[in-house]
Amino acid sequence: FVAGISIAVIIVGAALALAWKAIGHRLLSKAPPAAAVEGCERALAQLRFDDTKSKAEAVTQLGTLVTQYPDFVEGHAALVTAVSLQLDDVQQRVRRIEQLVERKNSQIARYNREKSPSNWENLASTLTTQVEELIKEHKPLGEEQHNLDTKAREAYKGLESAVNRVGEPSKTAKLAALRAQALFHGVSGT
């Protein structure tokens, strides 16, 4: 009789240990603070306006949020997303300027080679002036692109650190992190 009870206790104990291993982390994990969730949602709502000012405001809000709640994975993921979107916008503007410069330089070369139409020198001179203006516009954008790339990489590292600190993030947090990482890699080309 005692041996039967001992075996039953061992079986129940093993079953409890397996159950704890399977779901114990969920029972102990805390839900993110309501203020963190609300702040993140407000910042993400700003991103939906899809303009430079709104994106900058969202990045500022999310930067403050992840400082206050460093283990809030969704907040870090939203910050990576917002900075990646800013970086993408600047990259597109830089590419457009580079394409315009290339097109205008090709036209200048064609005018100089063919020496036509009759006012080719004036046309080439006008295009040269336009290229110089585009290059002036390109320089600060290139610097901004570099700064945003650095900021995006820092945000990405912050996201990785938050995931590591949390250990086993919630399913929602994992999905947010994966989406942000995919966007970051798509924009940064890594």
Side-chain angles (χ1 to χ4, degrees), residues 4 8 15 18 20 35 39 52 58 83-84 116 121 123 132 170 174 176 180 185:
L18 287 173
W20 180 256
T52 304
V83 177
S84 295
S116 72
E121 289 173 321
L123 292 172
E132 290 168 358
S170 68
K174 283 182 190 176
H185 289 296

Side-chain angles (χ1 to χ4, degrees), residues 99-161:
Q99 289 170 347
L100 278 171
V101 166
E102 188 177 318
R103 255 187 268 134
K104 290 179 186 294
N105 280 334
S106 294
Q107 284 181 308
I108 292 168
R110 193 181 84 228
Y111 289 144
N112 288 332
R113 187 178 55 251
E114 296 174 2
K115 306 218 185 293
S116 72
S118 60
N119 64 341
W120 70 271
E121 289 173 321
N122 289 337
L123 292 172
S125 177
T126 301
L127 287 172
T128 300
T129 303
Q130 291 173 0
V131 166
E132 290 168 358
E133 290 172 8
L134 287 169
I135 290 171
K136 286 178 187 173
E137 186 179 338
H138 182 274
K139 185 175 178 173
L141 283 175
E143 291 171 5
E144 184 180 356
Q145 179 179 351
H146 174 73
N147 293 339
L148 285 171
D149 185 65
T150 301
K151 196 172 187 177
R153 290 178 191 286
E154 289 170 1
Y156 187 89
K157 287 177 186 172
L159 172 60
E160 286 181 329
S161 294

Side-chain angles (χ1 to χ4, degrees), residues 14-31 166-170:
L16 287 173
L18 287 173
W20 180 256
K21 186 164 180 93
I23 64 168
H25 67 280
R26 289 187 211 147
L27 297 174
L28 293 178
S29 66
K30 296 184 259 178
V166 168
E168 185 63 33
S170 68

Side-chain angles (χ1 to χ4, degrees), residues 34-111:
V37 174
E38 290 168 8
C40 188
E41 288 176 2
R42 270 194 309 276
L44 290 173
Q46 283 292 114
L47 286 179
R48 291 186 185 103
F49 289 110
D50 197 30
D51 64 88
T52 304
K53 182 182 174 193
S54 297
K55 288 176 186 171
E57 289 173 9
V59 167
T60 301
Q61 291 172 14
L62 290 165
T64 302
L65 183 84
V66 298
T67 300
Q68 290 175 335
Y69 304 100
D71 293 341
F72 183 45
V73 174
E74 291 94 327
H76 284 278
L79 180 60
V80 170
T81 298
V83 177
S84 295
L85 291 172
Q86 280 185 312
L87 176 59
D88 185 56
D89 286 351
V90 172
Q91 286 175 337
Q92 294 303 319
R93 288 170 36 207
V94 166
R95 282 189 203 112
R96 277 193 292 275
I97 289 172
E98 289 170 348
Q99 289 170 347
L100 278 171
V101 166
E102 188 177 318
R103 255 187 268 134
K104 290 179 186 294
N105 280 334
S106 294
Q107 284 181 308
I108 292 168
R110 193 181 84 228
Y111 289 144

